Amino acid sequence: METQQTASAKLFIGIDIHKRSWKVHCATDLFAGKSFSMPPDPLQLRTFVKKHFPDHEVSTAYEAGCCGYSTHRSFISFGWKSLVVNPADILRKGKVRFT
């Protein structure tokens, strides 16, 4: 009997988007991942994902803000799932919320 892969590996990317840089956190369904800063360029993020997570199904999320939806449209064009979320709906630790 041959084994078959029944689920694809998943990559989840959370991004804190600003005009001059992005703070990115990558995690898979198996490990917590890593955080890093990068220039605000969707193509550079796609290059990183292709290099380090070539066969993963990618989902991204970032806060709606002043930078518009061009990043969202880029992620969709890469074939990724993308969410643009309301900043008030993002869970934060109590300490961060009141400082």
Side-chain angles (χ1 to χ4, degrees):
M1 177 188 261
E2 261 185 61
T3 28
Q4 293 181 338
Q5 185 174 354
T6 57
S8 61
K10 293 175 177 46
L11 174 65
F12 305 98
I13 303 173
I15 310 166
D16 188 8
I17 289 186
H18 297 281
K19 216 174 197 176
R20 295 192 175 143
S21 70
W22 291 353
K23 178 79 171 178
V24 179
H25 182 80
C26 297
T28 69
D29 43 356
L30 300 176
F31 73 94
K34 74 178 222 171
S35 296
F36 58 93
S37 292
M38 64 174 286
D41 181 9
L43 295 175
Q44 284 190 14
L45 183 58
R46 184 174 78 171
T47 301
F48 174 83
V49 168
K50 281 185 172 184
K51 179 179 179 183
H52 296 285
F53 305 97
D55 297 322
H56 285 66
E57 181 182 312
V58 181
S59 298
T60 65
Y62 69 91
E63 293 179 345
C66 64
C67 296
Y69 292 92
S70 62
T71 302
H72 170 73
R73 288 189 287 274
S74 294
F75 294 157
I76 295 297
S77 73
F78 301 158
W80 298 355
K81 294 178 185 173
S82 181
L83 293 172
V84 181
V85 297
N86 177 3
D89 291 338
I90 296 175
L91 182 63
R92 290 177 173 36
K93 296 179 184 174
K95 189 192 308 185
V96 174
R97 198 177 318 163
F98 297 109
T99 56

